[in-house]
Amino acid sequence: MANGQWYPAEWPDRIRALADGTLQPAVPRRAATVMLLKDTATGTVVHMLRRRASMAFAGGAYAYPGGGVDPRDDEHQIHWAGPTRAWWADRLGVDETMAQAIVCAAVRETYEEAGVLLAGPTADSVVGDTTGPEWEADRAALVARELSFAEFLERRGLVLRSDLLGAWTRWITPEFEPRRYDTWFFVAALPEGQRTRNASTEADRTVWIRPQDAAEGYDKGELLMMPPTIATLRQLTAYGAADALAAAADRDLTPVLARARLVDGEIVLSWPGHDEFTKHIPTGGAPA
């Protein structure tokens, strides 16, 4: 039975074009995504959304809340709690300005797409319920880029809680894909008093699901996912919410980037360190 690995039909042609020099790789856009966890009586669950089938990139695939960095997120000194910007720069392998932007993207996108906000009035507090018309108006303004995240925090008198995030892994979209992202994956626990909702216009369904159950659905071909999603789900099965956050500090953030090479007359597509995603593409044929 085929699994649920997302594999666009145009990839073989694009891989061949990359190999013969007729395709110029797009520059990846920096992005962040958050694996939001909570512990329940039946085990730890993760919040996932299903991208609308009409989406040009990974339509119908299950993913986590996330999106691209907003350039404005590196323009101002955000009210900040937790590890310093210098610490995050070292952890993420970027400069301090970009580190702030990436962490802000993780927190902002989680709020925009799931209604969960990792911020509080003080360095050791978190906001409670973020539903209601005033909160929704601010969230909509963030989505429309009418309001920067720095302005939002200042207006609300909030401090970003970077200590509630743990950097888990980093994946870069393959060079032959036209929509490329350099994505840092974070873990976070759902703050007490907050609840998720489907606040994303890009998703037609959201679900709290045990990582092992989601992985089983993928293995059966019932849930469509991109390689980074199923890879992180398999990694999360061993952790509770607090344990995952603690373990994140020691995770290797070396970027995972797919490689395509010609071997014995066929294209071999692989993701280093993740053999389950390897595809063998006969020249002129479909992947196996």
Side-chain angles (χ1 to χ4, degrees):
M1 179 184 296
N3 61 27
Q5 183 175 344
W6 178 68
Y7 189 90
E10 65 272 16
W11 269 14
D13 288 339
R14 296 189 64 84
I15 291 170
R16 296 183 189 99
L18 180 67
D20 64 25
T22 59
L23 175 66
Q24 182 66 33
V27 176
R29 180 186 178 191
R30 284 176 167 167
T33 190
V34 177
M35 300 177 287
L36 197 60
L37 304 169
K38 70 175 179 179
D39 296 323
T40 72
T42 57
T44 301
V45 291
V46 61
H47 180 71
M48 304 189 75
L49 53 84
R50 185 176 64 188
R51 295 173 60 82
R52 294 185 184 277
S54 59
M55 297 295 294
F57 183 79
Y62 279 79
Y64 312 112
V69 166
D70 183 345
R72 295 177 299 176
D73 287 341
D74 63 14
E75 293 176 353
H76 305 283
Q77 286 289 307
I78 303 288
H79 296 298
W80 191 277
T84 65
R85 292 167 180 81
W87 184 94
W88 277 107
D90 182 67
R91 180 74 181 111
L92 302 178
V94 296
D95 61 34
E96 290 187 33
T97 299
M98 181 52 65
Q100 172 178 291
I102 293 167
V103 172
C104 282
V107 176
R108 174 177 47 76
E109 289 287 340
T110 304
Y111 181 55
E112 288 182 7
E113 297 197 342
V116 171
L117 183 58
L118 304 177
T122 63
D124 57 359
S125 64
V126 185
V127 295
D129 186 6
T130 59
T131 59
E134 292 185 358
W135 283 105
E136 181 57 26
D138 280 349
R139 193 197 65 78
L142 285 169
V143 172
R145 299 296 181 261
E146 297 168 353
L147 181 69
S148 74
F149 193 58
E151 293 168 337
F152 165 70
L153 292 177
E154 186 170 351
R155 173 187 296 183
R156 289 278 176 177
L158 297 175
V159 178
L160 182 148
R161 291 286 306 275
S162 79
D163 55 316
L164 299 182
L165 286 170
W168 189 262
T169 190
R170 179 183 177 186
W171 287 63
I172 301 177
T173 309
E175 292 180 328
F176 45 82
E177 170 59 43
R179 299 170 184 83
R180 301 189 65 209
Y181 298 91
D182 182 354
T183 306
W184 282 262
F185 286 69
F186 295 85
V187 290
L190 179 68
E192 185 176 351
Q194 294 192 38
R195 62 181 186 270
T196 57
R197 64 186 191 278
N198 184 5
S200 173
T201 58
E202 298 180 354
D204 60 12
R205 183 185 184 218
T206 61
V207 63
W208 282 100
I209 187 170
R210 295 193 309 165
Q212 54 266 45
D213 292 338
E216 182 178 337
Y218 168 90
D219 290 335
K220 293 179 178 179
E222 297 171 353
L223 302 182
L224 183 66
M225 299 180 199
M226 293 175 282
T229 309
I230 180 58
T232 49
L233 282 170
R234 297 201 197 285
Q235 294 160 357
L236 288 174
T237 58
Y239 298 97
D243 294 336
L245 188 60
D250 297 320
R251 295 277 307 172
D252 182 9
L253 295 185
T254 301
V256 179
L257 174 63
R259 297 187 302 170
R261 62 192 190 279
L262 188 64
V263 179
D264 297 331
E266 68 177 5
I267 296 171
V268 178
L269 174 61
S270 62
W271 279 257
H274 300 273
D275 292 342
E276 73 166 297
F277 306 128
T278 299
K279 294 286 187 181
H280 295 264
I281 307 164
T283 53

